[in-house]
Amino acid sequence: MRRPHLTPHIGLALAALTLLLATLGMAGSADAATSCSEIPTVYGIPPWGFHTGPYTGASSFAKGHGNIDLEANTVSGIMCQQDRAGTIIMSVQHHLSYHSHVAVMWGYPGNIIKIKFRVTNSTDTNCPVGTEGRATLFGSYNGVRSDSVQFFFPAACKDQDHLYHGTQVNNQVPPL
């Protein structure tokens, strides 16, 4: 008798468990093994989400996704950034700092959100767990591809300050 193929279901269950643990604010030590590949990519149009291009060939990479309520000014989710200094996983803090549907960046109109986050796992020895920072996500519209994601960290984690901008950045920022 032939057994059903379970491998795709097991992989999906493991990805869901990983996302659940990360979203709940999993804490880890600075030397814990981690990778942005542990954060599942969300396809389609999530309430908010981004990825900055392919893992291979880039000096740094980031992705993230979560939920947002513009009327209540709240946001949640998870982000990850991977570069030569290490990998950091960030939990998005609850309060949405800023949002606009009439923003202009790079000379193009679009949607923008500004969020705060806390590092929950890090392999960058200069950027410890608990460090707080902020990020600006811009999604251009009207058929223009000029999206961007920018991370801002305090002095200890300055090596993790990155700006991702260009045609490989795919940013879904909801309108008002």
Side-chain angles (χ1 to χ4, degrees):
M1 177 178 224
R2 187 179 164 117
R3 290 183 162 170
H5 190 63
L6 295 177
T7 304
H9 298 291
I10 292 170
L12 183 59
L14 287 174
L17 179 60
T18 300
L19 175 61
L20 175 64
L21 291 174
T23 302
L24 292 174
M26 94 181 151
S29 65
D31 61 349
T34 183
S35 166
C36 279
S37 63
E38 293 176 13
I39 307 301
T41 300
V42 176
Y43 295 98
I45 301 175
W48 73 266
F50 69 89
H51 65 86
T52 62
Y55 280 111
T56 57
S59 60
S60 61
F61 175 88
K63 67 179 178 176
H65 55 85
N67 293 314
I68 191 167
D69 184 339
L70 295 173
E71 289 182 17
N73 221 31
T74 60
V75 66
S76 64
I78 187 166
M79 299 184 297
C80 182
Q81 180 169 252
Q82 191 170 322
D83 68 6
R84 289 185 178 103
T87 301
I88 56 172
I89 297 176
M90 300 154 277
S91 176
V92 175
Q93 294 185 348
H94 190 63
H95 179 72
L96 183 61
S97 299
Y98 177 81
H99 61 87
S100 176
H101 182 60
V102 293
V104 175
M105 284 186 78
W106 319 112
Y108 300 103
N111 300 324
I112 190 169
I113 61 173
K114 294 183 179 185
I115 56 179
K116 294 181 182 179
F117 58 81
R118 179 184 306 267
V119 174
T120 58
N121 201 323
S122 176
T123 62
D124 181 346
T125 56
N126 294 322
C127 195
V129 169
T131 300
E132 294 183 356
R134 56 190 173 87
T136 299
L137 285 65
F138 175 77
S140 56
Y141 50 68
N142 294 336
V144 174
R145 288 293 306 219
S146 190
D147 295 356
S148 64
V149 176
Q150 187 165 14
F151 291 99
F152 303 92
F153 285 88
C157 296
K158 277 295 185 196
D159 63 337
Q160 292 290 345
D161 279 0
H162 290 293
L163 167 63
Y164 303 92
H165 172 237
T167 57
Q168 286 195 344
V169 177
N170 184 356
N171 206 341
Q172 300 296 327
V173 180
L176 296 174

